[in-house]
Amino acid sequence: MPRFLIERSIPGLSRDDLSEAGRRSAAVLATMPEIRWIRSYISDSDGKMYCEYDAPSTDAIREHARKAGIPVDRISEISLEINPAMFV
């Protein structure tokens, strides 16, 4: 299954708003078993959220975002995952 990194603009999103968006996302994901949310990272200073997903396509990610009412600025497919342990 392809893995994707999604960039979202969320300037000024409160933690309560973030929790609500997470609940909406989880509810939509329950109806889209082909998509798996792995983790997300928040940058308050940049007003961005970066989310890691497994999904069959970028179209599936966009459909999930539309149904959940969350923004998508950019979707990048991850070609290779590396970590420091690979180089010691």
Side-chain angles (χ1 to χ4, degrees):
M1 173 89 54
R3 183 160 289 182
F4 297 93
L5 190 64
I6 300 103
E7 180 180 333
R8 307 174 193 279
S9 292
I10 55 159
L13 193 71
S14 72
R15 292 302 184 248
D16 287 342
D17 293 339
L18 183 60
S19 292
E20 178 56 33
R23 283 191 287 278
R24 286 194 318 267
S25 176
V28 171
L29 287 170
T31 70
M32 301 179 79
E34 69 278 14
I35 301 176
R36 186 171 70 102
W37 176 17
I38 299 165
R39 70 184 54 87
S40 295
Y41 303 92
I42 307 298
S43 173
D44 287 333
S45 62
D46 292 335
K48 296 283 187 177
M49 178 189 307
Y50 302 93
C51 302
E52 188 176 352
Y53 278 70
D54 286 340
S57 67
T58 58
D59 288 340
I61 291 170
R62 289 188 190 285
E63 179 67 8
H64 163 263
R66 184 190 66 74
K67 289 179 176 180
I70 53 179
V72 171
D73 297 337
R74 190 164 85 181
I75 302 171
S76 299
E77 185 170 354
I78 298 170
S79 301
L80 178 66
E81 183 177 325
I82 61 173
N83 65 65
M86 297 169 65
F87 305 103
V88 292

